[in-house]
Amino acid sequence: MSDVFEGYERQYCELSVNLSKKCNSASFLPVGDPKKQHISELTVGLDEADGLIRKMDLEARSLQPSLKAALLAKLREYKSDLNKLKREVKKLTSSSFDQTAHEVLLESDVADGSSNQRERLAMSTERLNQSSGRIMESRRLALETEELGVSILEDLHQQRETLLHSHNQLHGVDEAIDKSKKLLTSMSRRISRNKMIVGAVIAALVVAIIIILYFKLSH
């Protein structure tokens, strides 16, 4: 397994345990600043956990297929756990906001019974809901963009492997050509050497014949 992936995984597991503890403790807190502080810390922690998940995903996709499949399966479990935590935090945030809005509304009614304040509160609530919707939409777009980036990186990795494979094949062809050249050169040298030997033998035979004829004619 990748050491980088293990490092991210260790950080995520520690963070996940801490977030679960904070989420449980926040559910027993009354509405007020301490609970808001817990929810704020939980939100920051969830963003950090998202970042670690993305890093693990990128690292897993850059590994060999034999390792990648197992790590991606593990990542799916982590993502499922993180989504559960997000739902719990969302419930805490919603209940805290509803309780706060209810208390503010009661205080407004007790103070002067003014319907204008209730309208302003309703408008503020609507604005907050719209802002929350825009934030969620922005996060969704960011996640989609990140997933697209991961897909592109995976495609580039596959193309790199294809190019490396092609390069290895070309290297093998070059080696075969070099061997063929050496073989042809060796054969050419042998042919030249054989020609020289045959020429020498013929020359020797001619000289021998001349000598024999000379002695026969002289006697």
Side-chain angles (χ1 to χ4, degrees):
M1 185 183 294
S2 168
D3 292 337
V4 176
F5 185 92
E6 287 183 346
Y8 291 145
E9 184 180 24
R10 186 164 50 252
Q11 294 179 43
Y12 172 79
C13 290
E14 292 175 357
L15 181 60
S16 178
V17 171
N18 290 333
L19 289 175
S20 297
K21 290 179 180 178
K22 282 187 178 181
C23 191
N24 290 332
S25 62
S27 62
F28 295 103
L29 291 175
V31 176
D33 291 337
K35 189 167 188 175
K36 290 179 181 178
Q37 180 65 26
H38 267 66
I39 292 174
S40 177
E41 292 174 356
L42 284 168
T43 302
V44 173
L46 288 176
D47 289 338
E48 185 178 350
D50 269 328
L52 290 171
I53 288 288
R54 290 194 292 271
K55 290 178 180 178
M56 284 190 285
D57 190 61
L58 287 172
E59 178 64 21
R61 292 179 186 277
S62 67
L63 298 175
Q64 297 177 353
S66 57
L67 294 175
K68 181 169 65 174
L71 295 181
L72 289 178
K74 184 181 291 188
L75 265 178
R76 283 193 290 271
E77 296 179 3
Y78 290 155
K79 288 178 181 179
S80 177
D81 293 338
L82 184 59
N83 286 331
K84 290 179 182 178
L85 275 174
K86 288 179 179 179
R87 287 193 292 270
E88 292 297 325
V89 173
K90 187 176 181 180
K91 288 180 182 178
L92 286 173
T93 304
S94 178
S95 62
S96 177
F97 176 77
D98 291 342
Q99 183 64 27
T100 302
H102 181 67
E103 290 178 356
V104 171
L105 183 60
L106 288 176
E107 290 175 359
S108 299
D109 288 341
V110 172
D112 55 7
S114 172
S115 61
N116 290 332
Q117 289 185 353
R118 288 196 298 272
E119 290 177 0
R120 285 197 296 270
L121 179 60
M123 291 175 63
S124 299
T125 302
E126 185 178 356
R127 290 195 191 98
L128 285 173
N129 289 334
Q130 290 175 353
S131 299
S132 298
R134 285 194 292 269
I135 291 172
M136 293 297 292
E137 181 66 17
S138 298
R139 292 186 66 179
R140 185 184 66 80
L141 291 174
L143 289 174
E144 288 180 355
T145 303
E146 186 173 351
E147 289 176 357
L148 178 61
V150 169
S151 177
I152 292 172
L153 285 175
E154 187 175 7
D155 290 340
L156 290 174
H157 180 69
Q158 291 176 351
Q159 291 175 8
R160 177 177 175 272
E161 290 181 348
T162 302
L163 289 173
L164 288 174
H165 180 66
S166 300
H167 175 73
N168 291 334
Q169 287 182 333
L170 289 174
H171 184 67
V173 172
D174 289 339
E175 288 182 350
I177 291 173
D178 289 339
K179 289 180 180 179
S180 299
K181 286 182 178 179
K182 290 179 181 178
L183 180 60
L184 290 173
T185 302
S186 176
M187 291 175 64
S188 177
R189 288 176 180 173
R190 287 180 183 177
I191 291 171
S192 298
R193 187 167 58 250
N194 290 338
K195 285 182 178 179
M196 291 176 65
I197 292 171
V198 170
V201 170
I202 292 172
L205 288 174
V206 170
V207 171
I209 291 170
I210 292 172
I211 292 172
I212 292 169
L213 290 174
Y214 173 77
F215 280 108
K216 282 186 177 183
L217 292 174
S218 62
H219 294 289

